[in-house]
Amino acid sequence: MNIEVNVVLDAKGLACPMPIVKTKKAINNLEAGQVIEVQATDKGSKADLQAWAASAGHEYLGTIEEGDILMHFVRKSSGEEQVERKYEGVTNNEELETMLRDENTLVLDVREKAEYAFKHIPGAVSIPLGELETKADELTKDKNIYVVCRTGTRSDMAAQLLTAKGFTNVINVVPGMSEWSGDVESDIK
């Protein structure tokens, strides 16, 4: 499985707290929403990075183990929880879960590819927000498009963009994947 990341940080051979110290420094150079892959050999780095990401407000996506190497994936916080939503057509996670049985429902996941790879709604179409402008024509306009992201902010922007492109049945799902309790799939094996 190849996960798209913005930066790969080599922390192999380093013991606690060095993988976190290096990650803190490296993540400062990322833009909000970008993903860093931290490669480490310290078995304690998984719990350490999860705890650090939570306390720093970043999103710990997951870890893949290949032999002795742990590849941790963290998405830099964007402060998106504080952004005001502007799109009118909004629903909640529970409503989306009931609509998944409707064949006219399409779930569009606009999170980054790494976020989608670790956990997504079964059957969801992945088009990151940054690619939606050029890939919107890949979507069917006659479906009810339920747009999801982590908290409802990127999906708000995506819903506005799709509406501007002539889509009429677009619904923003709030709060999105941060509180999704329905079935999920992972592309990580």
Side-chain angles (χ1 to χ4, degrees), residues 60-81:
Y60 172 82
L61 300 175
T63 298
I64 298 174
E65 293 187 39
E66 285 187 3
D68 292 338
I69 300 174
L70 301 168
M71 294 174 290
H72 309 288
F73 298 86
V74 178
R75 179 178 170 271
K76 183 173 181 176
S77 171
S78 61
E80 64 187 24
E81 292 81 3

Side-chain angles (χ1 to χ4, degrees), residues 87 156-171:
Y87 188 73
D156 182 275
M157 291 184 277
Q160 292 177 56
L161 186 149
L162 290 173
T163 301
K165 288 188 165 285
F167 288 81
T168 55
N169 302 317
V170 181
I171 303 101

Side-chain angles (χ1 to χ4, degrees), residues 72-109:
H72 309 288
F73 298 86
V74 178
R75 179 178 170 271
K76 183 173 181 176
S77 171
S78 61
E80 64 187 24
E81 292 81 3
Q82 280 69 43
V83 177
E84 181 181 336
R85 294 186 183 92
K86 297 178 180 163
Y87 188 73
E88 296 290 324
V90 177
T91 193
N92 58 37
N93 289 356
E94 293 75 22
E95 174 69 20
L96 172 58
E97 198 165 1
T98 65
M99 295 308 297
L100 291 176
R101 294 181 217 111
D102 183 344
E103 62 195 33
N104 201 37
T105 293
L106 177 109
V107 177
L108 173 63
D109 191 321

Side-chain angles (χ1 to χ4, degrees), residues 34-53:
Q34 290 188 323
V35 176
I36 185 171
E37 175 184 334
V38 181
Q39 297 179 351
T41 50
D42 178 4
K43 296 297 181 195
S45 63
K46 181 175 181 179
D48 293 345
L49 276 166
Q50 279 181 304
W52 169 77

